[in-house]
Structures are given as C-alpha cells and as structure tokens.
Amino acid sequence: MPARLAVIGGGAAGLAAAYYALRAGLEVSVLEASPRFGGKIFSLVGDGFVVESGPDSLPATPEVLELAGELGLEPLSPQPSPNPLYLVHRGQTLALPDVPPAQLPWAIGPLLSPAGRLRLALERLVGKPAEADEGLEPLIRRRFGDQAWALLARPFSHAVYGAPPEDLSVRSAFAALWHHEPEPSTPPAGPVSFAGGMGSWVNALLRCLAGKVQGGVGLEVVAISREGEVWQVYTPRGKLEAEAVILATSAQRAARILRPIYPQATALLNQVPTLSVATVSLAFHEEGLPPLPGHQVILDESYQAESFLWASRRWPGRAPEGFQLVRVNWAGERARLGDADLTRLSQIELERFGGGRRMPKPLASWPFRLGTIPVYRVGHGRRVEAIESAMDRMPGVFTAGLGLKGLSLADSLREGRRAVGRVLNYLALLPNPSSS
C-alpha cells in the first residue's frame, strides 16, 4: 500500500505537488477550502471572450514547458509588438525597454537626461552595500541616481503586483539586481499562455488527477495533529490520515492551521506583510476607444490604478473581431472596494488615460478580488529562513513555498515539485510508511 500524502491547498502549487506526488506513486489527497481549484487562476470563457481573473501568463521556463508538454498543452505566444510595455511618467507615455525588470536600470539610458545618463554610467564604480539586504529605493538612488529612481519606481512596483517599492527587499524580489547582473545569466523566459486562457493549465492538471486523488473543494482544513508517525488532518466533514502533509496555502492560512499545535510557527507566518489585489476586465466595441499602445501600460502615482493590460492586443483569441478586452489592475486598499465602485473607478482611469475623452459604455465587466499576496520587504530572506527552521521541527510537514519564494506561476510549480522531493526523502527514512 503506498504512503499517503495530504496536500492542503488546491492552487497552482498544490495541484503541481499533487501531480508530481501521484507520478511518484503516493496516495494523494488534495483539500481546497474554496469552491474551486486553481487559486488566483481562473479563466471565464464565453461569447468569444477569454477573461482572466488573475495571472494572464506564466514564464516559459524549461520546467513549465516540460509540464505543458506532459499535459498536452500548446503554449501560446504574445502577439508581436515593437514596444509591448509602456509607462505613464509625468504626463508622458514612454516605451520601456523590453527586458526583465531586474535589468531595467541598465537599459533606461535613452529615457534619461544627459545628467541622468552620466550618473548611470558611473554605476560600475559604486560598491556593494555593507548590509546583507537593501531596500529598493536606497539601492537605486545609490547605484543609478535619483532620476533613475523617479523613472523606475512604478515599473519595479508593478513587477511585484503593486507592492510599495520603497522598502522592497532587492535580494528577495530582484535577485539579478542584487548580484549586479546587467545581463541575465540565462536568457529570460518570455511569457506564454494557452488558447483557452490560464484556466486551461488548471483544467489539464485536474484531468490528470481525476479519479486518482481523494479530497476535493469546499474542504477547509481547520487543524492537524500527529499520532505516532501519522498526521491527522481535520476538516468540518471529518478527518483523514497521512504520513506526510504539504501546506500549499497562503502563509496566513497555514498559520491558522498550525495555531493549535505550533504557536511559534503561527507567530512567524503571521508576520509576513500582505497586499490586497484585484482586477477589472471590461469589454468594448473597438470603435471609439483611444489608442492603446503596446500590450500594457504602467501608471504613475497620479493614477489610482496600477496598470492597464490590453488583453486582446497581447493574446490572440481573447475577444471577437471588432471588440477589445481591457483589464485594469488594482492593489492596496482600493482593491477591497465593492464590484460597482471598482468598475466605475476603472472606467474613470481609462477615460483619464484617453485624455478625458468619454469612453464608450462597456458591453460587460468582470471584477475579481484576488485576496492578498505577500510583500517582500527588507529582511524577507531572514523571515523565510526562520519559518523554514520552525517547520523543520514538524517531521512530515512541508511547505510549497507559501508564496514566499516567488510570485509567478513558474515559482509555484517549482515549489510544489520541490516539496514532493522533500516528502519522498522523508518517507524513505520511515521504518515502514506504507503500513502506518
């Protein structure tokens, strides 16, 4: 009889963990508290539109492409654009270099004044900080100058879903920048999606798991406890037993689960700062819309929204011919507004971007509140180390990142797979895991 694994959380990391655990021969249960699998990934398909609630792509890393092939998914590349990314900066809409965020400081010379370019050229003479971590604002000002910071603050914020950029941990959020890498050590992985949206990724994983895993949705885990070598996993509908457990949830949900048995870990997990995020997608007749540059426009601090994504310009098949699908991204307190208020504010922001010209009435709108994401402030690495050290004191319980080691779907896939590797190593040391 195979060893049993309980995966708590059915988002991207949890489903990836279940997939790799099943492939390794474990008996797997997936327990998801919400009414559906997928976490922040959800694609609404109908009437010729493909509307994404959250992530609209994932990086085409070798691991992502390998799993996509195993799932029978054909990656979809963005539509060609000479300048896919723009920035509204002091009333101007500027085309940003098409490079990863961590390489932007070395690529923005043409957008700076002569004095700013001279300051940028001196960057190679600036030494490394004395501290083990540094905030994004002091690092950019120290190494690249004040003008570079004024231009880059919003793009860096947008790269981490709207988190305040001033005290972001460079070491945790932008490792290449921390290690002084003006050129990426490996070619950057471009974005890919799928014809039916990112929901195709979730659906393909669920088809592989169907009939082979236990559990389901609407199963909130309220506590776990250990009896001998076996973990008891409790839900309002009863309990199940497993030799190993993977926590593939947010840090806050993991804290609630562990509170009865491990208050120290709960305290550490609750210290992780978070940020609320939301999106509003709107469908328009193409006629009457202002020019939509590139694929995405990052907005400066004079706007309330974080950015605009021209979804049907970025990806083929996202809207019927003659229509455009536009998404407005929100972060912070405004992301908690009600549907009507958030939709109205989104239209106001679009009208302002169009020079005050009244936008055509949207044919439909889809607001999505996506909960929270962790914010990687200075000292994040030390906090993660403390959490991992605390979790090491719970034999048989492992985490799939908890969103603390990267925010992309590729990061979730990697952490889910790594968690399964740690589970297998642990089970190999048990006297007889299959008979527990």
Side-chain angles (χ1 to χ4, degrees), residues 205-257:
L205 279 169
L206 291 176
R207 283 194 295 271
C208 289
L209 301 178
K212 302 173 185 175
V213 301
Q214 301 177 46
V217 298
L219 290 172
E220 181 177 6
V221 174
V222 295
I224 62 174
S225 66
R226 196 174 191 219
E227 296 181 9
E229 299 293 335
V230 177
W231 284 95
Q232 315 293 317
V233 181
Y234 298 91
T235 77
R237 298 187 199 172
K239 73 171 183 177
L240 61 84
E241 296 184 339
E243 282 73 42
V245 175
I246 291 178
L247 294 169
T249 67
S250 67
Q252 288 69 33
R253 186 175 292 277
R256 291 196 294 271
I257 293 169

Side-chain angles (χ1 to χ4, degrees), residues 34 118 131 147 163 244 264 277-278 311 367 396:
S34 76
L118 176 61
E131 300 297 324
Q147 195 177 131
Q264 296 94 331
V277 288

